[in-house]
Amino acid sequence: MAGRPRKKAAGSAGSKKVKPSGPVPCAVLWGLDPSGEKGAAVRGVLREMGVVARTAGYERLGDPAGAFARMPGFRQAVMPYAGPEPAVEEFVLLCGLSDAQVNEFLARSREAGCVVGAKALLTKVNRAWPLVQLIDAVAAEHAQMSS
């Protein structure tokens, strides 16, 4: 029938739906100065893995953890943080990494001699927590396990 528009073939480019890729895997770093030996080494490991490193400055410690991962619906806190510093000197929050990537990060960190004691994964539970609260919770958990 000459007057009817033709349907697209099932496998044509116009019919495929593309899933949004979601947030890029990243690591939020606290207390790991990029100009310091350990901070540079941790960033090197992450770079080799294709993981974005984001430095958390003191004034952003009140931001929700999900904001650092640039998750939809999460924004920086309205006011800069002005409370006490976290209970640990260094911390890594791994966001959006698979189990295999987490294990790779841990192994590569050991090999490079830049293991960070306090670390956590971003989860559905902790993504709304202010970063300082998450860091302190992990520090308390580490202290309890080592006593």
Side-chain angles (χ1 to χ4, degrees), residues 10-26:
S12 70
S15 67
K16 286 187 178 179
K17 289 187 178 180
V18 178
K19 279 183 151 180
S21 61
V24 174
C26 69

Side-chain angles (χ1 to χ4, degrees), residues 27-133:
V28 180
L29 308 177
W30 162 257
L32 292 158
D33 186 346
S35 62
E37 189 176 327
K38 190 171 192 177
V42 169
R43 283 171 178 76
V45 167
L46 293 167
R47 187 173 33 259
E48 289 171 6
M49 293 177 57
V51 176
V52 175
R54 297 193 177 126
T55 302
Y58 169 79
E59 68 284 347
R60 298 279 42 113
L61 287 173
D63 293 359
F68 287 97
R70 300 192 179 146
M71 296 182 70
F74 289 91
R75 294 184 173 179
Q76 289 183 343
V78 178
M79 299 292 294
Y81 180 75
E85 290 217 358
V88 295
E89 292 182 18
E90 55 190 33
F91 176 79
V92 175
L93 174 62
L94 301 172
C95 311
L97 275 68
S98 67
D99 288 344
Q101 288 173 308
V102 170
N103 290 334
E104 180 183 357
F105 172 73
L106 297 174
R108 285 182 177 220
S109 295
R110 278 190 299 274
E111 289 170 10
C114 60
V115 174
V116 177
K119 52 196 154 300
L121 300 176
L122 186 69
T123 67
K124 288 181 181 180
V125 173
N126 67 24
R127 65 186 177 189
W129 295 7
L131 186 62
V132 68
Q133 180 183 349

Side-chain angles (χ1 to χ4, degrees), residues 1-7:
M1 304 194 165
R4 282 190 165 166
R6 292 184 354 183
K7 289 184 178 179

